[in-house]
Amino acid sequence: MKPMAPAAPPQRHTPPDLLHQIGDTPLLELTRIAADLPAAVTLYAKAEHLNPGGSVKDRPALAMIQDGLRTGTFGAGQTLIDATSGNTGIAYAMIGAALGRPVTLALPANASDERKRILRAYGADLILTNPMDGTDGAQRRVKALVKAEPDRYFYPDQYSNDANWRAHYEGTGHEILDQTDGRITHFVAGLGTTGTFMGVTRRLKAFDDNIRCISMQPATSLHGLEGLKHMPTAMVPRIYDAALADDTLSSTTETAHAMTRRLAREEGLLVGPSAGANVATALRVARTLDAGCVVTVLCDTGTRYLSEAFWDDED
Ligand SMILES: Cc1ncc(COP(=O)(O)O)c(C=O)c1O
């Protein structure tokens, strides 16, 4: 008689960690905002505010960090450094904490207290730069520190890093095709680093070149819309290719704010003003159609903007 095979070891279930919660966000249909559209036109929003760091930037931050770890540019003992008080900074700080890796962020000293407190809560070290020099001053400080001690730092530089748009090619764009069963006809997204628009558009066009991809920018240079760039007057990111867009539309700050209020009050979606600008622009596109499936992005959570006065304005 053959000896009995030893019992298989009990299957150990590995609980998913925080970083596995990034991406795979729901695609929500905006029924009330779209109530006056023809029945054959649907409007959807990718709920990126539901990422664990509260924004779409969790995806590229994780992708750039993983790319750095894989290629060795983010070596053991090195500190991640960048100049951002925005969502990318929050994502770096959160992911750095989860991986046990130090994060240093340079930002103008007049960045909101709330932002500084979130970054410090995740354990990031902050370098506060002269408010008169704006975010450019913070960027110059980071570049000087990296130049002085290149071995000490990992500097992802989201504006030039291909892992930024690739996170949206492999993640966001792929998920949108899946979640719409390939029925998407139009995609609308605002431009910041441009990673979201570049990555999703490339993925959608690879699937079907007839899908119309429309980029959105603030209407003026002094727009106050966190995360968005007015390209004619901004430093243009290296990863940006304007030729990819089928069309470019603009949104005023007032339109963005009004839609941000509507999203909260009519759809129960507390999101930030760039999401409002995206949805307002997507609705404009949807109104030109007799039939179609329009998809846009809810970039971040509205809890980050509660002290802004626009919530109290009347429509
Ligand atoms: C709130 C918000 N909206 C929109 C964007 C633009 O996204 P992207 O950088 O992928 O162009 C960002 C980017 O930082 C953002 O933080």
Side-chain angles (χ1 to χ4, degrees):
M1 201 171 91
K2 278 209 280 191
M4 258 170 63
Q11 284 266 312
R12 196 157 310 151
H13 177 67
T14 315
D17 64 14
L18 174 80
L19 303 183
H20 284 94
Q21 307 308 308
I22 294 174
D24 273 329
T25 53
L27 186 70
L28 306 175
E29 186 172 359
L30 304 179
T31 50
R32 263 174 286 273
I33 299 281
D36 62 348
L37 294 176
V41 181
T42 44
L43 180 59
Y44 289 94
K46 192 82 169 124
E48 292 300 300
H49 64 301
L50 299 181
N51 278 303
S55 89
V56 67
K57 304 307 293 197
D58 283 8
R59 294 177 187 262
L62 180 62
M64 291 186 286
I65 289 171
Q66 283 177 333
D67 190 61
L69 293 171
R70 193 170 48 244
T71 59
T73 50
F74 192 5
Q78 284 185 319
T79 295
L80 186 158
I81 191 165
D82 215 329
T84 163
S85 60
N87 287 318
T88 308
I90 292 171
Y92 286 147
M94 176 189 78
I95 297 166
L99 292 174
R101 304 293 296 250
V103 173
T104 296
L105 299 166
L107 46 138
N110 61 342
S112 84
D113 254 5
E114 206 68 19
R115 299 250 166 190
K116 288 184 256 183
R117 290 175 73 86
I118 292 172
L119 296 171
R120 287 200 178 105
Y122 281 123
D125 283 326
L126 304 190
I127 301 171
L128 300 179
T129 56
N130 188 339
M132 301 299 285
D133 299 334
T135 48
D136 284 356
Q139 260 169 34
R140 280 198 297 273
R141 177 73 72 85
V142 166
K143 284 188 199 301
L145 287 168
V146 173
K147 194 168 173 207
E149 289 184 276
D151 294 342
R152 181 166 170 198
Y153 296 111
F154 167 60
Y155 175 33
D157 187 7
Q158 58 173 340
Y159 295 97
S160 309
N161 194 326
D162 289 325
N164 176 352
W165 67 262
R166 282 209 191 102
H168 295 289
Y169 185 98
E170 282 152 23
T172 327
H174 178 82
E175 292 164 29
I176 289 171
L177 283 175
D178 226 34
Q179 290 166 316
T180 60
D181 289 326
R183 287 179 299 105
I184 176 173
T185 58
H186 293 73
F187 176 66
V188 177
L191 301 174
T193 68
T194 77
T196 308
F197 186 77
M198 292 291 114
V200 172
T201 294
R202 286 197 176 109
R203 183 69 190 87
L204 297 179
K205 297 277 185 189
F207 172 75
D208 178 357
D209 197 37
N210 292 316
I211 299 173
R212 304 260 310 159
C213 296
I214 298 132
S215 64
M216 183 275 293
Q217 308 183 25
T220 56
S221 57
L222 293 174
H223 50 83
L225 295 172
E226 167 82 24
L228 297 183
K229 271 180 182 283
H230 177 250
M231 287 299 169
T233 55
M235 271 171 59
V236 177
R238 192 187 62 71
I239 61 170
Y240 181 47
D241 177 3
L244 269 188
D246 293 302
D247 201 357
T248 301
L249 298 175
S250 63
S251 171
T252 66
T253 303
E254 293 70 31
T255 304
H257 285 167
M259 183 55 82
T260 308
R261 287 191 294 273
R262 282 192 69 189
L263 284 164
R265 291 166 195 178
E266 296 176 36
E267 300 277 358
L269 292 165
L270 190 64
V271 292
S274 69
N278 273 351
V279 173
T281 309
L283 186 60
R284 243 171 89 192
V285 170
R287 286 209 171 107
T288 66
L289 308 176
D290 297 320
C293 171
V294 183
V295 176
T296 191
V297 180
L298 303 176
C299 314
D300 71 352
T301 169
T303 56
R304 237 150 244 176
Y305 306 91
L306 289 179
S307 58
E308 292 197 16
F310 73 84
W311 293 109
D312 303 321
D313 290 348
E314 295 299 326
D315 293 307

